[in-house]
């Protein structure tokens, strides 16, 4: 058994511990290349508010290249990374999330997808990072539009771009987050995990999540239980945000 000294535990005490939950085998899967995708998307949104997409059209090469550059960025010294911060609202952030005083064992880059950022400070090869980010963001935006259009069709809304046009708008406030959850060896040795990104709902229309093959993402179900989402680095997970939930209800 490993015991943590008081001094060690004190530095983490302001970040809550993660509760272990069961892995779910019931996450809906939508194959975007199949004709039933629109029906399955609507069903998943209504019953779960969360689903996984395969055949999403974002190339694995673009994903791996960006992931590699992001890892390089996060492996730099805190001093170097902080040249891209603080995130008010965009840039590099560590531990502090949002404006409500939330904290987590996380560091991240927060970008507006429609805004030019000063990339000259983004890591050792900023131009490469900028190119990879831009091409990744445009592929993911394309996928998001496809999902939103399928959703409108599935809901039998005549105007197919009713949701997707919000994303295509030049003034869109869509954001891109690159989250890094550093290992916390002392806690892991003691079989505990610190909360990375704490409990929240996403205010947007939808969130498109991709991660490496590490577990950690948990979702809250209607029945009041939290479940762990089995990781899958080849797929994207789609979370219905508060704005879509409100608009969706208004569609009936
Ligand atoms: C804890 C929080 C972070 C967040 C604002 C909030 O109070 C609740 C929602 C969070 C979220 C989730 C989606 C996006 O990543 C984000 C930028 C957003 O708009 O809402 C974050 C906020 C944030 O990181 O500032
Ligand atoms: O990093 C994750 O897996 C979740 C992040 C998240 O929920 C968010 O950025 O809104
Ligand atoms: Fe979220």
């Amino acid at each position: 058994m490993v015991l943590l000294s008081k001094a060690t535990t004190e530095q983490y005490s302001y970040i809550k511990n993660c509760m272990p939950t069961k892995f779910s085998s019931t996450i809906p899967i939508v194959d975007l290349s199949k004709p039933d995708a629109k029906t399955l998307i609507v069903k998943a949104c209504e019953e779960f508010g969360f689903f996984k997409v395969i055949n999403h059209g974002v190339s694995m090469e673009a994903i791996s290249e960006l992931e590699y550059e992001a890892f390089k960025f996060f492996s730099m010294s805190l001093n170097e990374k902080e040249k891209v911060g603080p995130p008010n609202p965009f840039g590099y952030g560590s531990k502090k999330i949002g404006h409500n005083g939330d904290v987590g064992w996380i560091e991240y880059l927060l970008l507006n997808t429609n805004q030019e950022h000063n990339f000259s400070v983004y890591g050792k090869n900023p131009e490469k990072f900028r190119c990879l980010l831009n091409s990744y963001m445009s592929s993911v935006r394309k996928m998001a539009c496809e999902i939103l259009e399928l959703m409108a069709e599935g809901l039998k809304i005549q105007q197919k771009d009713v949701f997707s046009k919000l994303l295509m708008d030049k003034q869109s406030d869509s954001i891109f987050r690159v989250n890094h959850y550093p290992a916390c060896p002392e806690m892991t040795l003691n079989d505990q995990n610190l909360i990375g990104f704490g409990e929240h709902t996403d205010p947007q229309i939808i969130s498109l999540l991709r991660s490496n093959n590490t577990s950690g993402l948990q979702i809250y179900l209607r029945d009041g239980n939290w479940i762990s989402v089995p990781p899958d680095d080849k797929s994207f997970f789609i979370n219905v945000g508060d704005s879509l939930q409100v608009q969706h209800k208004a569609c009936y």
Side-chain angles (χ1 to χ4, degrees):
M1 183 178 169
V2 178
L3 290 178
L4 299 178
S5 68
K6 198 156 178 260
T8 313
T9 45
E10 262 168 12
Q11 56 168 313
Y12 307 127
S13 61
Y14 64 100
I15 299 178
K16 289 189 204 133
N17 276 46
C18 195
M19 299 291 280
T21 59
K22 290 203 185 91
F23 278 102
S24 165
S25 53
T26 53
I27 308 280
I29 301 177
V30 179
D31 182 340
L32 288 183
S33 67
K34 294 271 168 65
D36 63 357
K38 52 178 180 286
T39 321
L40 293 181
I41 289 175
V42 172
K43 190 168 185 287
C45 288
E46 289 173 354
E47 292 174 3
F48 235 74
F50 188 88
F51 57 97
K52 166 164 138 173
V53 291
I54 57 172
N55 286 320
H56 43 69
V58 183
S59 92
M60 278 316 292
E61 200 190 345
I63 291 173
S64 315
E65 282 186 322
L66 177 60
E67 195 169 287
Y68 181 70
E69 281 306 307
F71 266 121
K72 280 207 316 211
F73 174 83
F74 288 119
S75 63
M76 295 192 313
S77 68
L78 188 60
N79 200 17
E80 285 291 316
K81 291 183 282 194
E82 281 180 341
K83 290 182 185 159
V84 193
N88 50 6
F90 303 114
Y92 170 80
S94 175
K95 299 200 177 69
K96 296 188 182 120
I97 310 165
H99 310 289
N100 304 332
D102 294 321
V103 286
W105 196 250
I106 185 176
E107 57 177 343
Y108 59 88
L109 278 172
L110 191 56
L111 305 168
N112 180 313
T113 61
N114 294 318
Q115 194 177 304
E116 279 300 315
H117 296 272
N118 172 17
F119 269 97
S120 63
V121 282
Y122 279 68
K124 303 236 159 27
N125 193 345
E127 187 48 30
K128 185 165 181 204
F129 202 16
R130 189 185 68 81
C131 278
L132 290 172
L133 273 169
N134 282 342
S135 81
Y136 182 84
M137 286 196 279
S138 72
S139 302
V140 173
R141 189 188 289 116
K142 193 163 166 259
M143 169 183 42
C145 285
E146 190 184 340
I147 294 170
L148 292 171
E149 286 177 10
L150 286 167
M151 197 179 285
E153 282 182 48
L155 286 168
K156 309 219 169 11
I157 298 172
Q158 277 197 342
Q159 195 192 338
K160 200 175 137 188
D161 69 350
V162 64
F163 304 126
S164 62
K165 71 172 187 211
L166 301 170
L167 200 56
M168 295 315 287
D169 194 320
K170 283 251 177 312
Q171 305 286 316
S172 161
D173 61 356
S174 59
I175 51 121
F176 182 70
R177 232 178 196 284
V178 189
N179 291 333
H180 179 227
Y181 300 94
C184 182
E186 294 89 341
M187 300 298 284
T188 319
L189 276 172
N190 210 19
D191 222 15
Q192 293 180 62
N193 280 307
L194 289 173
I195 286 273
F197 205 125
E199 178 184 335
H200 66 277
T201 60
D202 292 342
Q204 288 84 0
I205 313 174
I206 52 170
S207 304
L208 300 94
L209 302 167
R210 200 210 70 98
S211 77
N212 56 15
N213 248 334
T214 311
S215 59
L217 179 62
Q218 302 179 338
I219 55 169
Y220 185 68
L221 301 183
R222 256 197 206 139
D223 65 10
N225 287 313
W226 283 93
I227 52 159
S228 283
V229 178
D232 176 353
D233 63 351
K234 312 249 168 340
S235 307
F236 279 83
F237 291 98
I238 314 298
N239 185 45
V240 172
D242 302 337
S243 310
L244 182 61
Q245 202 178 345
V246 170
Q247 291 191 39
H248 192 257
K249 278 194 185 130
C251 289
Y252 289 98

